[in-house]
Amino acid sequence: MKLARAGALAIFAVAAGVGTIGLYLTWGLVTNALHPTSVGNESTPARTVLTQPMPPGPPLPVVTPVVTADAPATPPADQPPAPNPVPPAPKRVQLGQDETPGDAPIEIEVADPKVVPEGSPSSATNKRGLVVLHIGDSHTSADFLTGEVRRRLQARYGRGGTGYMTAGHPHAGVRSSQLKITASAGWTYKSLQRPDAQVPQFWLSGYDSIATQPGETMSFASDKPLTFDMIEVEAVGQPGGGAIDIKLDGNVETHYELASTRIEPIIIRLLPGRGPTEKVREVTITTTGAGTVTVGSVSIYNNRSGVTYNSVGYVGAQIGLLKKMNEKLFASDLARIDPQIVVLSFGTNEASNEHLDPAQYGKTYEAVVQRIKATLPRAAIVVVSPPDFNEIGPACPKEKVAEASCHRAPPELASTTGSASPTPPAPAAPCTWHTPAKLQQVRDAQRDIAKRYGLVYWNWGSIMPGECAAHQWVSMNPPLMSRDHVHFTADGYRKSAEQFLNVLIPCYREGPGGGQCCFQQLNSRSSLRWSFRSPGCSTITTPPRNGSWFSPATSSMRSGAPTIR
């Protein structure tokens, strides 16, 4: 009897539970029917992806995405578009127990994950244009030589992106021939060349643009819309850091807080929401709060096709500046730019140093080459030796400089007959131009390294008329050299670019294992005709006129400036 009663109670309890569940489900269905969920009532999804930390060395992959969401729906045609909302700041990923922050850069992505594969910004396409990275001193930083080389290459092979650009106006000699760069008055600048520079705060640009107040702006504007597949902003997180908005054509794409507990190099990467055919005219950075904002560079990439010629220069710099850079940040920049050709154009400032130790200089140059090859083992490296330039004594009055002559070397007085010792060399006349004695030693050191490492070598001075060449070019009509006898005029840089292109173009070969210069002598009995042959490039022939270059295929020096046919 008790057993039967217990069974009846159990059956009753089960029935009650089933009834309750059924009532709950029924109520849910009724509620959904009466109050359907509207997608438009949901909050706008974030489009920010943050990744950290980055492992040292190339390649620098993007790791675990934090936020993924669909892009906002397009408003109906009969309704005005809503103002562009400011995306929320990305949240940082907590480090795992076995991860250490180190000094590798943090990477932040702003993208539409429906279009761009997360974690693979470069995997959206297998197409590849020609990417060149030209690093040098003031001849490079002013972007006259490199600008003319870029213009001619892009006219022939198509336009890629603008590439890597130094932020702001850190020096009058640092400019871009591609974009109009403007910066408000509140930005100040620091240089890696200063002895007290904090190396971990500097990217490849070698300069930091710094603002401490809200409302400071910096813009990079083009006359024509630029197709891009990636935009990067290099910044520095730090204690007391401020915040920035990044705008594309006036629309805020992302907001980022740069406050951190320590110095952290940061890469903010924007990927096109509508695929790699999206275009932009202007990129603007605006500080939005109190605190220090440090920006190193802005890059607009389109590596799918055409030519991207990155020009990075430092006024008054020597090759040792690249060795001074933080090794991980230097490697990070090289890996992300990912050039097929790297051009090193240093030597003018080294040759001005009368205390230069050629042996030590060679070691420094070699160390930089090794760094580049460690990160970009398949890239061709082109060594450009400095052109001829002349110096004059600081004691020469300014009004006398224009009429000063040029001599090969400081004159020496003849020894006096019967004297106990010859008369010591007389000091150089204060108003005499002369070629620095260390110039040839710098060229020799660079040429030796190029031969030993199988690099391409071009002696810029070989297109000039010889001793006191700079002084001769100053006197030409129109002049090819500026009055300082160091830098060229626009015509001089155009002439230099024309000759350099004949060395540069054969260095490009499409496909894996590219970056080789092929060199053949067509007539073994005569050096009157030479041919460069490289898959994907034009055949180049030349009579041996002026110029001095060699190819790693033979490691032999050749005279003549090849001509594009």
Side-chain angles (χ1 to χ4, degrees), residues 14-32:
V14 171
V18 171
T20 303
I21 293 174
L23 181 61
Y24 174 79
L25 294 176
T26 302
W27 174 256
L29 292 174
V30 173
T31 302
N32 288 336

CSV table of all heavy atoms in Angstrom, one decimal, residues 14-32:
chain,number,residue,atom,x,y,z
A,14,VAL,N,6.5,14.0,-11.7
A,14,VAL,CA,7.0,14.0,-13.1
A,14,VAL,C,6.1,14.8,-14.0
A,14,VAL,O,6.5,15.6,-14.8
A,14,VAL,CB,7.3,12.6,-13.6
A,14,VAL,CG1,7.6,12.6,-15.1
A,14,VAL,CG2,8.4,12.0,-12.9
A,15,ALA,N,4.8,14.5,-13.9
A,15,ALA,CA,3.8,15.2,-14.7
A,15,ALA,C,3.8,16.7,-14.5
A,15,ALA,O,3.7,17.5,-15.4
A,15,ALA,CB,2.4,14.6,-14.4
A,16,ALA,N,3.9,17.1,-13.2
A,16,ALA,CA,4.0,18.5,-12.9
A,16,ALA,C,5.2,19.2,-13.5
A,16,ALA,O,5.1,20.3,-14.0
A,16,ALA,CB,4.0,18.7,-11.4
A,17,GLY,N,6.3,18.5,-13.5
A,17,GLY,CA,7.6,19.1,-14.1
A,17,GLY,C,7.4,19.2,-15.6
A,17,GLY,O,7.8,20.3,-16.2
A,18,VAL,N,6.9,18.2,-16.3
A,18,VAL,CA,6.7,18.3,-17.7
A,18,VAL,C,5.7,19.4,-18.0
A,18,VAL,O,5.9,20.2,-19.0
A,18,VAL,CB,6.2,17.0,-18.3
A,18,VAL,CG1,5.8,17.1,-19.7
A,18,VAL,CG2,7.2,15.9,-18.1
A,19,GLY,N,4.7,19.6,-17.2
A,19,GLY,CA,3.8,20.7,-17.5
A,19,GLY,C,4.4,22.0,-17.3
A,19,GLY,O,4.1,23.0,-18.1
A,20,THR,N,5.2,22.2,-16.3
A,20,THR,CA,5.9,23.5,-16.1
A,20,THR,C,6.8,23.8,-17.3
A,20,THR,O,6.8,25.0,-17.8
A,20,THR,CB,6.8,23.4,-14.8
A,20,THR,OG1,5.9,23.1,-13.7
A,20,THR,CG2,7.4,24.8,-14.6
A,21,ILE,N,7.6,22.8,-17.8
A,21,ILE,CA,8.4,23.1,-18.9
A,21,ILE,C,7.6,23.5,-20.2
A,21,ILE,O,8.0,24.4,-20.9
A,21,ILE,CB,9.3,21.8,-19.2
A,21,ILE,CG1,10.3,21.6,-18.1
A,21,ILE,CG2,10.1,22.0,-20.5
A,21,ILE,CD1,11.1,20.3,-18.2
A,22,GLY,N,6.6,22.8,-20.3
A,22,GLY,CA,5.7,23.1,-21.5
A,22,GLY,C,5.1,24.5,-21.4
A,22,GLY,O,5.1,25.2,-22.4
A,23,LEU,N,4.7,24.9,-20.2
A,23,LEU,CA,4.2,26.2,-20.0
A,23,LEU,C,5.2,27.3,-20.3
A,23,LEU,O,5.0,28.3,-20.9
A,23,LEU,CB,3.6,26.4,-18.6
A,23,LEU,CG,3.0,27.7,-18.2
A,23,LEU,CD1,1.8,28.1,-19.1
A,23,LEU,CD2,2.6,27.8,-16.8
A,24,TYR,N,6.5,27.0,-19.9
A,24,TYR,CA,7.6,28.0,-20.1
A,24,TYR,C,7.9,28.1,-21.6
A,24,TYR,O,8.1,29.2,-22.1
A,24,TYR,CB,8.9,27.5,-19.3
A,24,TYR,CG,10.1,28.3,-19.6
A,24,TYR,CD1,10.3,29.5,-19.0
A,24,TYR,CD2,11.1,27.9,-20.5
A,24,TYR,CE1,11.4,30.3,-19.2
A,24,TYR,CE2,12.2,28.6,-20.8
A,24,TYR,CZ,12.3,29.8,-20.1
A,24,TYR,OH,13.4,30.6,-20.4
A,25,LEU,N,8.0,27.0,-22.3
A,25,LEU,CA,8.3,27.0,-23.7
A,25,LEU,C,7.2,27.8,-24.5
A,25,LEU,O,7.4,28.5,-25.4
A,25,LEU,CB,8.5,25.6,-24.2
A,25,LEU,CG,9.7,24.9,-23.7
A,25,LEU,CD1,9.7,23.5,-24.3
A,25,LEU,CD2,11.0,25.6,-24.1
A,26,THR,N,5.9,27.4,-24.1
A,26,THR,CA,4.8,28.1,-24.7
A,26,THR,C,4.8,29.6,-24.5
A,26,THR,O,4.6,30.4,-25.4
A,26,THR,CB,3.5,27.5,-24.2
A,26,THR,OG1,3.5,26.1,-24.4
A,26,THR,CG2,2.3,28.2,-24.8
A,27,TRP,N,5.1,30.0,-23.3
A,27,TRP,CA,5.2,31.5,-23.0
A,27,TRP,C,6.3,32.1,-23.8
A,27,TRP,O,6.2,33.2,-24.3
A,27,TRP,CB,5.5,31.7,-21.5
A,27,TRP,CG,5.7,33.1,-21.1
A,27,TRP,CD1,6.9,33.7,-20.9
A,27,TRP,CD2,4.7,34.2,-21.1
A,27,TRP,NE1,6.7,35.1,-20.6
A,27,TRP,CE2,5.4,35.3,-20.7
A,27,TRP,CE3,3.3,34.2,-21.3
A,27,TRP,CZ2,4.7,36.6,-20.6
A,27,TRP,CZ3,2.7,35.4,-21.1
A,27,TRP,CH2,3.3,36.5,-20.8
A,28,GLY,N,7.5,31.4,-24.0
A,28,GLY,CA,8.5,32.0,-24.8
A,28,GLY,C,8.1,32.2,-26.2
A,28,GLY,O,8.5,33.2,-26.8
A,29,LEU,N,7.4,31.2,-26.7
A,29,LEU,CA,7.0,31.3,-28.1
A,29,LEU,C,6.0,32.5,-28.3
A,29,LEU,O,6.1,33.2,-29.3
A,29,LEU,CB,6.4,30.0,-28.6
A,29,LEU,CG,7.3,28.8,-28.7
A,29,LEU,CD1,6.5,27.5,-29.0
A,29,LEU,CD2,8.4,29.0,-29.8
A,30,VAL,N,5.1,32.6,-27.4
A,30,VAL,CA,4.1,33.7,-27.4
A,30,VAL,C,4.8,35.0,-27.3
A,30,VAL,O,4.5,36.0,-28.1
A,30,VAL,CB,3.1,33.5,-26.3
A,30,VAL,CG1,2.2,34.8,-26.3
A,30,VAL,CG2,2.2,32.3,-26.6
A,31,THR,N,5.8,35.1,-26.4
A,31,THR,CA,6.5,36.4,-26.2
A,31,THR,C,7.3,36.8,-27.5
A,31,THR,O,7.3,37.9,-27.9
A,31,THR,CB,7.5,36.3,-25.1
A,31,THR,OG1,6.8,35.9,-23.9
A,31,THR,CG2,8.2,37.6,-24.8
A,32,ASN,N,8.0,35.8,-28.1
A,32,ASN,CA,8.7,36.1,-29.3
A,32,ASN,C,7.8,36.5,-30.5
A,32,ASN,O,8.2,37.3,-31.3
A,32,ASN,CB,9.5,34.9,-29.8
A,32,ASN,CG,10.7,34.6,-28.8
A,32,ASN,OD1,11.2,35.5,-28.2
A,32,ASN,ND2,11.2,33.4,-28.8
